[in-house]
Amino acid sequence: MQGTCDTCGNEYHDVMEITQGGQTYTFDSFECAIQELAPKCPACGVRIVGHGTERGGDVYCCDHCAG
Ligand SMILES: [Zn+2]
Ligand SMILES: [Zn+2]
């Protein structure tokens, strides 16, 4: 599917669509999807791509940040 990336504005012939919270986003790469959608670790600011570590209702990137 032809489309334009919501993160970087790149026009690409094979974009992906991801729906989150009822809104649909268009991305040309996983990198751009992560940049737009992945939550940030409140301790160090890193994008949390995996399941992370939950503590007190917040999700942290690793045990070190959650501790
Ligand atoms: Zn992009
Ligand atoms: Zn962290």
Side-chain angles (χ1 to χ4, degrees):
M1 192 188 75
Q2 178 87 27
T4 306
C5 177
D6 283 342
T7 299
C8 70
N10 183 38
E11 257 190 59
Y12 192 54
H13 67 273
D14 190 21
V15 294
M16 62 183 106
E17 282 192 336
I18 297 175
T19 302
Q20 190 183 68
Q23 192 170 351
T24 303
Y25 302 86
T26 307
F27 301 109
D28 62 345
S29 65
F30 279 112
E31 194 185 348
C32 286
I34 287 164
Q35 210 179 101
E36 181 73 26
L37 299 179
K40 263 187 181 175
C41 174
C44 71
V46 154
R47 296 283 177 189
I48 301 162
V49 182
H51 50 73
T53 298
E54 207 177 324
R55 186 186 165 96
D58 287 320
V59 181
Y60 297 85
C61 68
C62 60
D63 289 344
H64 180 75
C65 283

